[in-house]
Amino acid sequence: MNAYDEYMKGIVQPMRQELVDAGFNELTTAEDVNEFMASAKGVSLVVINSVCGCAAGLARPAVRQAIEEVKPDHLVTVFAGQDREATAEMRGFFEEVPASSPSIAVLRDGQLEYFIPREQIEGYPVEQITEHLTGVLKQACAQ
């Protein structure tokens, strides 16, 4: 690992930990993603994490608040720009939407049911994002 990679690993650790502490399973390799997707039954919430400010101030807080109200069967995350292979592999499962980070995907039995791209996160109040995601999760988990 070069000095830059080592530096970034340390910088992003709290950003990773925020979701892990909320109950998310971190998928850091393409193999992790494929193993998860092969067995993902029910509703999965996938967060494509990022170092940007809208991930820190909006996406992660909104996700944490939404899952306090409605908890899907699975909580997983990949980290864009850090775990490149895992992120690319996960995005391959919903190629119909443009890559964006941060972003939030709701899957049912491994199939994309709903997607919230960065454009619906950045510039919106955290309460609005939380409400949006909570509504999506309520609908997905009620089926």
Side-chain angles (χ1 to χ4, degrees):
M1 183 178 295
N2 67 35
Y4 173 79
D5 289 339
E6 190 64 37
Y7 173 78
M8 286 307 295
K9 184 178 177 184
I11 293 293
V12 303
Q13 189 52 42
M15 300 170 201
R16 291 177 182 277
Q17 201 60 44
E18 188 174 354
L19 290 178
V20 170
D21 288 348
F24 281 78
N25 182 26
E26 222 181 0
L27 307 176
T28 59
T29 67
E31 293 78 25
D32 290 346
V33 171
N34 286 318
E35 185 178 305
F36 170 76
M37 293 300 282
S39 64
K41 299 293 177 228
V43 178
S44 301
L45 179 61
V46 179
V47 175
I48 302 200
N49 203 352
S50 166
V51 298
C52 72
C54 63
L58 301 171
R60 290 192 302 265
V63 165
R64 288 193 338 267
Q65 290 173 30
I67 64 172
E68 285 179 15
E69 192 168 332
V70 184
K71 196 154 194 175
D73 301 306
H74 308 281
L75 302 171
V76 296
T77 181
V78 295
F79 208 113
Q82 299 301 305
D83 302 321
R84 288 178 172 86
E85 294 83 13
T87 304
E89 196 68 26
M90 182 58 79
R91 286 177 171 155
F93 285 96
F94 37 87
E95 290 178 316
E96 63 270 27
V97 295
S100 113
S101 53
S103 57
I104 304 163
V106 176
L107 311 177
R108 175 176 302 286
D109 298 332
Q111 299 297 310
L112 182 65
E113 212 168 86
Y114 198 85
F115 190 78
I116 301 174
R118 178 187 180 114
E119 293 77 33
Q120 292 178 17
I121 297 170
E122 189 175 32
Y124 289 86
V126 70
E127 298 80 12
Q128 188 174 349
I129 302 161
T130 301
E131 190 176 301
H132 181 183
L133 180 57
T134 301
V136 169
L137 289 173
K138 281 181 180 177
Q139 188 173 7
C141 292
Q143 295 177 6

